[in-house]
Amino acid sequence: MSSVKSNHHYLFEFPLYNHIRLTLFDKLRQILSSVCLQTLHFGDDSKSLSDNKRVFEADHSFIIASKRFN
């Protein structure tokens, strides 16, 4: 499985993380009109630095809450 597919599955599909994914998407809806892996990893050039920091913080919170890397 490629890294991109793995990342996409982890962030968008893996059923174990549905409850924390809802929190992530709720936070991101306030900032972004659509969410994709590219934006989560690299930000969105059309958004302000402040908005991109909020995207990073939401993504980081998801990763921490998932405990995938513990």
Side-chain angles (χ1 to χ4, degrees):
M1 183 179 285
S2 74
S3 177
V4 172
K5 187 167 182 165
S6 301
N7 290 336
H8 187 275
H9 181 74
Y10 165 64
L11 289 165
F12 292 95
E13 299 170 355
F14 192 60
L16 183 62
Y17 302 134
N18 281 345
H19 63 290
I20 58 175
R21 184 176 301 111
L22 292 174
T23 302
L24 170 65
F25 289 162
D26 283 344
K27 291 177 183 176
L28 294 175
R29 272 190 213 107
Q30 299 169 16
I31 308 162
L32 304 169
S33 57
S34 65
V35 179
C36 68
L37 192 59
Q38 178 79 14
T39 302
L40 287 176
H41 287 324
F42 302 108
D44 183 334
D45 290 339
S46 70
K47 298 296 180 181
S48 68
L49 178 60
S50 175
D51 282 346
N52 277 301
K53 284 181 179 179
R54 289 173 51 207
V55 170
F56 172 81
E57 289 167 357
D59 189 26
H60 186 252
S61 293
F62 174 87
I63 293 167
I64 297 299
S66 75
K67 299 180 183 176
R68 181 175 182 185
F69 299 104
N70 287 357

